[in-house]
Coordinates of all heavy atoms in Angstrom, one line a residue:
P151 N 62.5 -30.6 -8.6 CA 61.7 -29.5 -8.0 C 61.1 -29.9 -6.7 O 60.9 -29.0 -5.8 CB 60.7 -29.3 -9.1 CG 60.7 -30.5 -10.0 CD 62.1 -31.0 -10.0
I152 N 60.7 -31.1 -6.6 CA 60.0 -31.6 -5.3 C 61.0 -31.5 -4.2 O 60.7 -30.9 -3.1 CB 59.5 -33.0 -5.4 CG1 58.4 -33.1 -6.5 CG2 59.0 -33.6 -4.1 CD1 57.9 -34.5 -6.8
L153 N 62.2 -32.0 -4.4 CA 63.2 -32.1 -3.3 C 63.8 -30.7 -3.0 O 64.1 -30.4 -1.9 CB 64.3 -33.1 -3.6 CG 63.8 -34.5 -3.7 CD1 65.0 -35.4 -4.1 CD2 63.2 -35.0 -2.4
N154 N 63.9 -29.9 -4.1 CA 64.4 -28.5 -3.8 C 63.4 -27.7 -2.9 O 63.8 -26.9 -2.1 CB 64.5 -27.8 -5.2 CG 65.9 -28.0 -5.8 OD1 66.8 -28.5 -5.2 ND2 65.9 -27.7 -7.1
E155 N 62.1 -28.0 -3.1 CA 61.1 -27.3 -2.3 C 61.3 -27.7 -0.8 O 61.2 -26.9 0.1 CB 59.7 -27.6 -2.8 CG 58.6 -26.7 -2.2 CD 58.8 -25.2 -2.5 OE1 59.4 -24.9 -3.6 OE2 58.4 -24.4 -1.7
I156 N 61.5 -29.0 -0.6 CA 61.7 -29.5 0.8 C 63.0 -29.0 1.4 O 63.0 -28.6 2.5 CB 61.7 -31.1 0.8 CG1 60.3 -31.6 0.3 CG2 62.0 -31.6 2.2 CD1 60.3 -33.1 0.1
N157 N 64.0 -28.9 0.5 CA 65.3 -28.5 1.0 C 65.4 -27.0 1.4 O 66.3 -26.6 2.1 CB 66.3 -28.8 -0.1 CG 67.8 -28.8 0.3 OD1 68.7 -28.5 -0.4 ND2 68.0 -29.1 1.6
K158 N 64.3 -26.2 0.9 CA 64.3 -24.8 1.4 C 64.1 -24.7 2.9 O 64.6 -23.8 3.5 CB 63.1 -24.1 0.6 CG 63.3 -23.8 -0.8 CD 62.1 -23.2 -1.4 CE 62.3 -22.9 -2.9 NZ 61.1 -22.3 -3.5
N159 N 63.4 -25.7 3.4 CA 63.0 -25.6 4.9 C 63.7 -26.7 5.7 O 63.7 -26.6 6.9 CB 61.5 -25.8 5.0 CG 60.7 -24.6 4.3 OD1 61.0 -23.5 4.5 ND2 59.8 -25.0 3.5
E160 N 64.2 -27.7 5.0 CA 64.9 -28.8 5.8 C 66.3 -29.1 5.2 O 66.4 -29.2 4.0 CB 64.0 -30.0 5.7 CG 62.7 -30.0 6.4 CD 62.1 -31.3 6.6 OE1 62.7 -32.2 7.2 OE2 61.0 -31.5 6.0
D161 N 67.2 -29.2 6.1 CA 68.6 -29.6 5.7 C 68.6 -31.1 5.3 O 67.8 -31.9 5.9 CB 69.6 -29.3 6.7 CG 69.9 -27.8 6.9 OD1 70.0 -27.1 5.9 OD2 69.9 -27.4 8.1
F162 N 69.4 -31.5 4.4 CA 69.6 -32.9 4.1 C 70.9 -33.4 4.6 O 71.9 -32.7 4.4 CB 69.5 -33.1 2.5 CG 68.2 -32.9 1.9 CD1 68.0 -32.6 0.6 CD2 67.0 -32.9 2.7 CE1 66.8 -32.4 0.0 CE2 65.8 -32.7 2.1 CZ 65.6 -32.4 0.8
I163 N 70.9 -34.6 5.1 CA 72.2 -35.3 5.4 C 72.4 -36.3 4.3 O 71.7 -37.3 4.1 CB 72.1 -36.1 6.8 CG1 71.8 -35.1 7.9 CG2 73.4 -36.8 7.0 CD1 71.5 -35.8 9.2
D164 N 73.3 -36.0 3.4 CA 73.5 -36.8 2.2 C 74.6 -37.9 2.4 O 75.8 -37.6 2.4 CB 73.9 -35.8 1.1 CG 73.9 -36.5 -0.3 OD1 73.6 -37.7 -0.4 OD2 74.0 -35.8 -1.3
L165 N 74.1 -39.1 2.5 CA 75.0 -40.2 2.8 C 75.0 -41.2 1.6 O 75.4 -42.3 1.6 CB 74.5 -41.0 4.0 CG 74.4 -40.3 5.3 CD1 73.9 -41.2 6.4 CD2 75.8 -39.7 5.7
R166 N 74.6 -40.6 0.4 CA 74.6 -41.4 -0.8 C 76.0 -41.6 -1.5 O 76.9 -40.7 -1.2 CB 73.7 -40.8 -1.8 CG 72.2 -40.6 -1.4 CD 71.5 -39.8 -2.4 NE 72.1 -38.5 -2.6 CZ 71.8 -37.6 -3.6 NH1 71.0 -38.0 -4.5 NH2 72.4 -36.5 -3.7
A167 N 76.1 -42.5 -2.3 CA 77.3 -42.5 -3.3 C 77.0 -41.4 -4.2 O 75.9 -41.0 -4.5 CB 77.3 -43.9 -4.0
K168 N 78.1 -40.8 -4.8 CA 78.1 -39.7 -5.7 C 77.2 -40.0 -6.9 O 76.6 -39.1 -7.5 CB 79.5 -39.3 -6.1 CG 80.3 -38.5 -5.1 CD 79.7 -37.1 -5.0 CE 80.6 -36.2 -4.1 NZ 80.1 -34.9 -3.9
F169 N 77.1 -41.3 -7.3 CA 76.4 -41.7 -8.5 C 75.0 -41.1 -8.5 O 74.4 -40.7 -9.5 CB 76.4 -43.2 -8.6 CG 75.5 -43.7 -9.8 CD1 76.1 -43.8 -11.0 CD2 74.2 -44.0 -9.6 CE1 75.3 -44.3 -12.1 CE2 73.4 -44.4 -10.7 CZ 74.0 -44.6 -11.9
Y170 N 74.4 -41.1 -7.3 CA 72.9 -40.7 -7.2 C 72.6 -39.3 -7.3 O 71.5 -38.8 -7.3 CB 72.3 -41.4 -6.0 CG 72.3 -42.9 -6.2 CD1 73.3 -43.7 -5.7 CD2 71.3 -43.5 -6.9 CE1 73.3 -45.1 -5.9 CE2 71.2 -44.8 -7.2 CZ 72.3 -45.6 -6.7 OH 72.2 -47.0 -7.0
E171 N 73.7 -38.5 -7.5 CA 73.5 -37.1 -7.9 C 72.9 -37.0 -9.3 O 72.5 -35.9 -9.7 CB 74.8 -36.3 -7.8 CG 75.2 -36.1 -6.3 CD 76.5 -35.2 -6.2 OE1 77.1 -34.8 -7.2 OE2 76.9 -35.0 -5.0
K172 N 73.0 -38.1 -10.0 CA 72.3 -38.2 -11.3 C 70.8 -37.9 -11.2 O 70.2 -37.5 -12.2 CB 72.6 -39.5 -12.0 CG 74.0 -39.7 -12.5 CD 74.2 -41.1 -13.1 CE 75.6 -41.3 -13.7 NZ 75.8 -40.5 -14.9
I173 N 70.3 -38.3 -10.1 CA 68.9 -38.1 -9.8 C 68.6 -36.7 -9.1 O 67.7 -36.0 -9.5 CB 68.3 -39.2 -9.0 CG1 68.3 -40.5 -9.7 CG2 66.8 -38.9 -8.6 CD1 67.8 -41.7 -9.0
Y174 N 69.5 -36.4 -8.1 CA 69.3 -35.2 -7.4 C 70.5 -34.7 -6.7 O 71.2 -35.6 -6.1 CB 68.2 -35.3 -6.4 CG 67.9 -34.1 -5.5 CD1 67.4 -32.9 -6.1 CD2 68.3 -34.0 -4.2 CE1 67.3 -31.8 -5.4 CE2 68.1 -32.9 -3.4 CZ 67.6 -31.8 -4.1 OH 67.4 -30.6 -3.3
K175 N 70.8 -33.4 -6.8 CA 72.0 -32.8 -6.1 C 71.4 -31.7 -5.2 O 70.9 -30.7 -5.7 CB 73.0 -32.3 -7.0 CG 74.3 -31.8 -6.4 CD 75.3 -31.5 -7.4 CE 76.7 -31.1 -6.7 NZ 77.7 -30.8 -7.7
P176 N 71.5 -31.8 -3.9 CA 70.9 -30.8 -3.0 C 71.7 -29.5 -3.0 O 72.9 -29.5 -3.3 CB 70.9 -31.5 -1.6 CG 72.0 -32.5 -1.7 CD 72.0 -33.0 -3.1
K177 N 71.0 -28.5 -2.6 CA 71.7 -27.2 -2.4 C 72.2 -26.9 -1.0 O 73.1 -26.2 -0.8 CB 70.7 -26.1 -2.8 CG 70.3 -26.1 -4.3 CD 69.4 -25.0 -4.7 CE 69.0 -25.0 -6.2 NZ 68.1 -23.9 -6.5
N178 N 71.5 -27.5 0.0 CA 71.9 -27.4 1.4 C 71.9 -28.8 2.0 O 70.9 -29.5 2.1 CB 70.9 -26.6 2.1 CG 70.7 -25.2 1.6 OD1 71.7 -24.4 1.6 ND2 69.6 -24.8 1.0
A179 N 73.1 -29.2 2.4 CA 73.3 -30.6 2.9 C 74.5 -30.7 3.7 O 75.5 -29.9 3.6 CB 73.3 -31.6 1.7
I180 N 74.5 -31.8 4.5 CA 75.7 -32.2 5.2 C 76.2 -33.5 4.5 O 75.4 -34.4 4.2 CB 75.4 -32.6 6.7 CG1 74.8 -31.4 7.4 CG2 76.7 -33.0 7.4 CD1 74.2 -31.8 8.8

Side-chain angles (χ1 to χ4, degrees):
I152 293 173
L153 295 178
N154 276 345
E155 192 63 30
I156 296 172
N157 199 205
K158 287 179 182 178
N159 300 311
E160 294 192 60
D161 291 316
F162 290 162
I163 302 173
D164 192 352
L165 302 180
R166 303 171 299 165
K168 283 285 186 182
F169 176 87
Y170 290 95
E171 290 183 357
K172 288 179 177 288
I173 296 179
Y174 177 68
K175 188 172 183 178
K177 295 181 178 180
N178 299 294
I180 304 171

